[in-house]
Amino acid sequence: MFIKVVIPVVGQGGYTYLPPDQGEVQPGWPVLVPLGKSQRVGVVWQLLAENDCSPEVTLRPILKVLAEQAILDDKQIVFLTWMARYYMHPLGSAAAVALPSHLLRYEKGRQVRLGPDISVEKLSTEDGQVVEILQQSRRGLAFATLLRRLGGGKGWASRLERLGKRGILSIEERWHFRESRLAVDEPSLGEPSPPLVLNREQAEVLQVLVAALRVGRYGGFLLEGVTGAGKTEIYLQASRQAVDLGRQVLILIPEIALTPQMAARFHARFPGLVALFHSGMQDSQRYQHWLRVKEGSARVVIGARSALFAPFVDLGLVVVDEEHDGSYKQSEGGIPYHGRDMAVVLSRQWQAVLVLGSATPSLESLHNVSMGKYHPLHLRHRATGAPLPQVMLVDLRQAVQAGEMTPNSLISPTLHRCMTEELANRRQILLYLDRRGYAPALLCGRCGLSMGCPHCSVSLTYHQTPPRLMCHYCGHVSGVPDYCPRCGQMGFTHFGPGTERLEKKVEELFPEHRVARLDRDVVAAGGKETMQAILAAFERGEVDILVGTRMIAKGHHFPGLSLVGVILAETGLFHPDFRGSERTFQAITQVAGRAGREGSGRVVVQSYDPGNHAITAALSQDGEAFVARELPERREVGYPPYARLAMVRFLHQDQNVGNQLQTYLRQQWSPGMRGHVLGPAPAHLFRLRGWYRWQVLLRQPLDGNLHGLVQQVVETIAKQEVSGLKLLVDMDPYDFLS
């Protein structure tokens, strides 16, 4: 017998080993294996009847079975294998995202137990102290733990060694699981809160989902509902049906910022039955929740995309909230999977009901409805009966030409008037601007120099508190120069708006009111606790005006919020991305939907391009009009959802080496590949963290062999054996700008 073992590390694959000298192994068990000159923790992936390695490879045996229990079950292994093959990444990259790092923390140590020859009367006082401590632990203690309890010191270590030689102690070397001392959260208990009364639309949607749950087979549904339509209550009541049927539930949300509000509602409805999964959790918390899901005591799992890999026992309902959100796509490090798409695969595997929910569904999901892959469900009215907010458009071109404001102004007279009125009525305001910092760039007024990052081909963003220049890609920080390094001009121009600058302006205009800002800079400085504190304070009415980026634009329910201001509606249209219009429509629609959830609401949208179809459709909350305009354009140019894309990027720290490879590759494409292979060309962000980057965009019709084309391009690049080259494959790419 031969054994396939996967090392759960990004970039590692599967390796074939011989069985251990003693004992058996089963798929999913953690084992210690030799890898080169080191020893690594791996997971048994598959038992092989035949050796799949070439004859000249000398196989080595597994060194040790670390636990005779599976940390990945058969369904997870099948799921991760599918994911690795589809995204064309090593199995280790798939396993790495699935397992809490806590599970792989095995280390070599020595365990101390009482030996067979204990004669208390022969022991000194110090020796007796050792025996007394060990008598309190039936399984013994780690050598290091025992030393700590004894006060440490070399004297104690040598004493333990002597006691071992005398047979009073038994000291053995072994690999063991390294426990964390971090505190863990206990599940809350109590009586469940009662469900809310549904309106007619909600009741009809729930009836369809309950019927599907009772059938017990896969069924995919796209739940399209206006903002405030009560989708979360449907999720809650459908989850109750699934749990009552003895099945588990997975609720996916796009960002950590949405976790507290969603978790609070599910904790209240399912006390003691909820587990959380997201990257902001401590290792021990994640491990504890992982165990509760595996044991079946947790019936509802809530989290970001990594919650897909929880060890479910019997998954019956999968909900992907805000399914359109690009945050579901893994973009940095590891395997670039899409959480929504993998939720579809997971649902099919478990024969679970799948619900994709959104007020602004992705064009891919809408296309799947038209192809009969999903069943459409609609919520066309708000759950409370409140009307959608009144939307006002401010044409910034006319306002500037009329002298009502300057090009650098952030708040138009119309928005200022509306803010004054709402604050006078003690209502809350949200201002949305999808740019961080004080100014996106610092420009010299004489020569036009933009202060750039030394490691990336981007401008440094100016932050005022404290004064500094920062790269939002690699994290480089530098001081603010007094004069231009190129021409010597004193002083710089702050070019473009950012949330920090907007916050300062609001504080100047409304000094007597409480203002808060929420963006990645705030979260990076204060952690997730700061983010949750700001959101909670705004929800309680302790903040009058909240300024922020896209993280405040979706999924939140703020009862006292009556006015939303969109500072620059067209920000997302400036990027070279075919999804720019779709993202703009979704962002404006989503943030506008925060207003007037429990009363009247207003939205002021400021724009220099008010006639853009994405903006006009968002103003009228007319998704059908936007789709009717956007889909034919996608079909004409051959972009998703009418085609499939893949991105192959190659990186090198020497620009000349990359340029030579670029020239070579352009000569290698066969006539049949033209039109399907675009590039290579320099990436939009050509230099990132010191690496120069080129990309090849591959395109195939829906029934084409995209994976075969990617493999052909990858092999062509690999044949050149360029030293120091990094090669990255991204199936179904979402991010074309980094």
Side-chain angles (χ1 to χ4, degrees), residues 101-121:
S101 57
H102 202 61
L103 285 174
L104 303 173
R105 290 179 179 172
Y106 289 86
E107 61 183 11
K108 192 173 184 178
R110 292 194 292 175
Q111 189 79 358
V112 185
R113 295 184 177 88
L114 291 177
D117 187 15
I118 303 176
S119 300
V120 178
E121 63 273 8

Side-chain angles (χ1 to χ4, degrees), residues 109-113 139 143 170-175:
R110 292 194 292 175
Q111 189 79 358
V112 185
R113 295 184 177 88
R139 295 182 298 176
F143 195 93
S170 173
I171 303 175
E172 61 179 20
E173 288 191 347
R174 69 184 184 100
W175 284 80

Side-chain angles (χ1 to χ4, degrees), residues 496-545:
T499 49
E500 189 179 340
R501 182 178 174 186
L502 177 60
E503 179 189 27
K504 298 293 183 185
K505 184 63 177 178
V506 171
E507 289 174 340
E508 293 174 4
L509 293 174
F510 303 97
E512 70 280 11
H513 291 281
R514 300 162 294 181
V515 181
R517 172 170 58 92
L518 186 56
D519 53 30
R520 287 187 182 179
D521 297 318
V522 173
V523 175
K528 65 171 184 175
E529 294 80 8
T530 300
M531 173 182 67
Q532 294 173 3
I534 293 173
L535 290 172
F538 193 63
E539 185 176 358
R540 292 191 301 266
E542 298 170 3
V543 172
D544 300 314
I545 305 171

Side-chain angles (χ1 to χ4, degrees), residues 433-440 460-466 468-473 475-477 497-501 503 517-528 530-531 534 547-551:
L433 175 61
D434 203 23
R435 284 180 178 171
R436 297 151 54 198
Y438 190 87
L460 292 171
T461 299
Y462 173 65
H463 292 257
Q464 193 177 60
T465 309
R468 66 200 188 282
L469 295 173
M470 176 182 290
C471 177
H472 287 167
Y473 288 90
H476 171 81
V477 176
T499 49
E500 189 179 340
R501 182 178 174 186
E503 179 189 27
R517 172 170 58 92
L518 186 56
D519 53 30
R520 287 187 182 179
D521 297 318
V522 173
V523 175
K528 65 171 184 175
T530 300
M531 173 182 67
I534 293 173
V547 174
T549 54
R550 194 163 297 194
M551 65 169 54

Side-chain angles (χ1 to χ4, degrees), residues 13 26 65 117 120 219 248 256 262 265 397 417 483 495 534 581 597 609 616 640 663 689 695 727:
Q26 293 296 329
V65 175
D117 187 15
V120 178
Q248 289 173 305
I256 298 176
M262 183 72 79
R265 297 188 67 175
R397 300 169 303 178
R417 173 178 52 79
Y483 58 89
F495 182 78
I534 293 173
S581 295
R597 291 290 189 99
D609 188 15
T616 56
T663 301
R689 302 182 183 97
Q695 63 190 34
L727 191 60

Side-chain angles (χ1 to χ4, degrees), residues 14 28 65 117 138 181 311 341 351 358 383 416 579 612 656 659 662 677 681 688 737:
V65 175
D117 187 15
R138 289 180 299 174
R181 299 187 191 89
D341 298 345
Q351 290 297 297
S358 177
H416 185 272
R579 289 190 177 93
N612 183 277
N656 292 328
N659 285 335
Q662 174 184 245
V677 179
L688 179 63
L737 304 179

Side-chain angles (χ1 to χ4, degrees), residues 3-120:
I3 301 164
K4 177 80 73 177
V5 176
V6 170
I7 312 298
V9 174
V10 173
Q12 292 284 359
Y15 303 91
T16 302
Y17 290 90
L18 298 173
D21 294 336
Q22 296 180 346
E24 64 169 348
V25 294
Q26 293 296 329
W29 286 12
V31 293
L32 182 69
V33 295
L35 186 65
K37 296 181 179 180
S38 65
Q39 297 177 350
R40 304 297 294 269
V41 175
V43 180
V44 176
W45 211 257
Q46 186 179 6
L47 305 182
L48 306 172
E50 298 180 357
N51 184 6
D52 61 351
C53 297
S54 56
E56 61 269 16
V57 175
T58 301
L59 298 183
R60 294 187 282 179
I62 290 173
L63 297 175
K64 187 175 181 62
V65 175
L66 297 175
E68 294 184 357
Q69 59 179 349
I71 57 176
L72 289 174
D73 61 30
D74 292 343
K75 280 185 177 290
Q76 288 177 295
I77 289 175
V78 171
F79 180 62
L80 295 172
T81 300
W82 190 97
M83 185 172 78
R85 288 175 178 170
Y86 180 81
Y87 289 103
M88 302 184 72
H89 276 249
L91 283 169
S93 297
V97 300
L99 288 169
S101 57
H102 202 61
L103 285 174
L104 303 173
R105 290 179 179 172
Y106 289 86
E107 61 183 11
K108 192 173 184 178
R110 292 194 292 175
Q111 189 79 358
V112 185
R113 295 184 177 88
L114 291 177
D117 187 15
I118 303 176
S119 300
V120 178

Side-chain angles (χ1 to χ4, degrees), residues 416-679:
H416 185 272
R417 173 178 52 79
C418 292
M419 293 176 68
T420 302
E421 292 171 355
E422 297 300 330
L423 291 171
N425 292 324
R426 297 184 177 180
R427 302 299 301 276
Q428 291 175 294
I429 299 167
L430 186 152
L431 299 180
Y432 169 73
L433 175 61
D434 203 23
R435 284 180 178 171
R436 297 151 54 198
Y438 190 87
L442 207 61
L443 295 180
C444 174
R446 175 188 289 175
C447 70
L449 174 68
S450 173
M451 299 300 296
C453 175
H455 311 294
C456 309
S457 53
V458 295
S459 297
L460 292 171
T461 299
Y462 173 65
H463 292 257
Q464 193 177 60
T465 309
R468 66 200 188 282
L469 295 173
M470 176 182 290
C471 177
H472 287 167
Y473 288 90
C474 73
H476 171 81
V477 176
S478 66
V480 181
D482 295 323
Y483 58 89
C484 175
R486 185 163 69 185
C487 72
Q489 171 76 13
M490 295 293 291
F492 288 87
T493 298
H494 300 145
F495 182 78
T499 49
E500 189 179 340
R501 182 178 174 186
L502 177 60
E503 179 189 27
K504 298 293 183 185
K505 184 63 177 178
V506 171
E507 289 174 340
E508 293 174 4
L509 293 174
F510 303 97
E512 70 280 11
H513 291 281
R514 300 162 294 181
V515 181
R517 172 170 58 92
L518 186 56
D519 53 30
R520 287 187 182 179
D521 297 318
V522 173
V523 175
K528 65 171 184 175
E529 294 80 8
T530 300
M531 173 182 67
Q532 294 173 3
I534 293 173
L535 290 172
F538 193 63
E539 185 176 358
R540 292 191 301 266
E542 298 170 3
V543 172
D544 300 314
I545 305 171
L546 180 60
V547 174
T549 54
R550 194 163 297 194
M551 65 169 54
I552 65 170
K554 55 198 173 189
H556 300 291
H557 180 84
F558 302 121
L561 177 59
S562 61
L563 174 64
V564 167
V566 180
I567 303 304
L568 276 178
E570 63 273 13
T571 302
L573 298 174
F574 299 146
H575 303 311
D577 184 344
F578 72 90
R579 289 190 177 93
S581 295
E582 181 181 4
R583 287 172 172 159
T584 297
F585 168 76
Q586 290 167 343
I588 297 174
T589 303
Q590 289 284 340
V591 73
R594 303 311 108 197
R597 291 290 189 99
E598 298 185 10
S600 61
R602 290 190 288 179
V603 181
V604 177
V605 178
Q606 302 180 159
S607 175
Y608 282 101
D609 188 15
N612 183 277
H613 73 282
I615 296 176
T616 56
L619 291 175
S620 58
Q621 302 273 297
D622 192 347
E624 292 182 358
F626 173 75
V627 172
R629 168 72 180 271
E630 189 74 9
L631 278 180
E633 294 182 2
R634 297 273 188 96
R635 185 195 294 271
E636 182 178 351
V637 296
Y639 278 132
Y642 300 105
R644 295 175 58 220
L645 302 179
M647 183 79 77
V648 177
R649 283 196 173 108
F650 56 92
L651 294 67
H652 205 281
Q653 291 181 313
D654 187 332
Q655 183 177 352
N656 292 328
V657 172
N659 285 335
Q660 291 171 9
L661 181 58
Q662 174 184 245
T663 301
Y664 167 79
L665 291 175
R666 286 178 175 172
Q667 300 169 354
Q668 302 306 305
W669 309 144
S670 64
M673 296 171 68
R674 291 169 190 161
H676 300 293
V677 179
L678 307 178

